[in-house]
Amino acid sequence: MPSKIIIQTLESDRYFHIYNRGINGQKIFLDDGHYRYFLRLYNTYLRRYVYTLAYCLLPNHYHLFIKTKESKSAKYYLTVSNQFRKLFICNTQYFNLHENRIGNLCYRHFRRKIINKDNYFQNMLYYVHANPQKHGIIKDFTLYPYSSYQQMFCER
């Protein structure tokens, strides 16, 4: 049975931590092109449905901190989930085509956790951005090129 984190619905006007990783810890981003393509797809499929508060893409997993947009539709969560599904399918197809492989890239169910406490909200911004340093990918997470940190805090 899936955990509660997996089955939480993406209701409108709520904050979520979205994350997933490559199957068996395999890399899901191999080069700059893979990172950029994922972000392009993310923008294409989700910008109409979510606000992106923070993101970080690491070689074998990713973190997204989002707020779903407000909607009066009772089935908005299905629309948002479907847009994420399209993103992940297209990204997997791109990866498989370029790496001459078949099969799933990430675990089937992406994780989603509702963020509903102020202190958790603040910690989430730090957690998402500091992830590359936590995993030893870079010594200073503020310099990591595949996160929203530079856009949020360092733009001129």
Side-chain angles (χ1 to χ4, degrees):
M1 177 167 197
S3 75
K4 288 182 183 178
I5 291 174
I6 291 175
I7 61 174
Q8 291 178 337
T9 58
L10 294 167
E11 301 165 3
S12 75
D13 200 30
R14 302 287 299 266
Y15 294 95
F16 290 92
H17 177 203
I18 308 286
Y19 56 102
N20 205 347
R21 64 184 176 105
I23 293 174
N24 295 321
Q26 78 180 35
K27 289 184 176 185
I28 59 175
F29 302 106
L30 299 178
D31 59 34
D32 186 61
H34 287 168
Y35 289 102
R36 287 189 326 210
Y37 187 73
F38 182 91
L39 291 172
R40 228 176 12 254
L41 287 175
Y42 178 83
N43 188 46
T44 298
Y45 288 112
L46 288 155
R47 76 173 167 205
R48 292 180 50 213
Y49 306 97
V50 304
Y51 300 105
T52 304
L53 304 167
Y55 71 84
C56 190
L57 311 179
L58 294 99
N60 70 346
H61 69 286
Y62 61 83
H63 295 274
L64 307 168
F65 183 24
I66 66 162
K67 180 182 184 199
T68 52
K69 293 186 178 180
E70 193 172 344
S71 174
K72 295 185 192 282
S73 169
K75 296 192 177 190
Y76 187 72
Y77 70 95
L78 291 175
T79 301
V80 176
S81 292
N82 191 45
Q83 293 305 110
F84 271 108
R85 182 182 66 79
K86 289 176 184 178
L87 161 68
F88 300 141
I89 287 171
C90 288
N91 188 62
T92 298
Q93 289 173 338
Y94 173 86
F95 189 95
N96 286 349
L97 179 66
H98 285 83
E99 299 306 317
N100 196 30
R101 68 180 292 280
I102 58 172
N104 292 336
L105 184 59
C106 294
Y107 287 99
R108 186 165 182 251
H109 296 286
F110 65 95
R111 308 281 185 178
R112 55 209 120 173
K113 186 171 184 178
I114 293 175
I115 309 300
N116 55 11
K117 295 182 181 173
D118 287 341
N119 64 334
Y120 195 50
F121 182 94
Q122 293 169 349
N123 289 338
M124 183 54 53
L125 286 173
Y126 175 78
Y127 175 80
V128 168
H129 288 130
N131 224 259
Q133 189 171 324
K134 173 187 170 196
H135 290 288
I137 295 169
I138 197 166
K139 290 185 186 235
D140 181 357
F141 73 88
T142 67
L143 302 175
Y144 189 67
Y146 307 112
S147 84
S148 56
Y149 185 88
Q150 292 283 325
Q151 293 169 305
M152 291 177 69
F153 301 108
C154 300
E155 285 197 350
R156 295 159 188 61

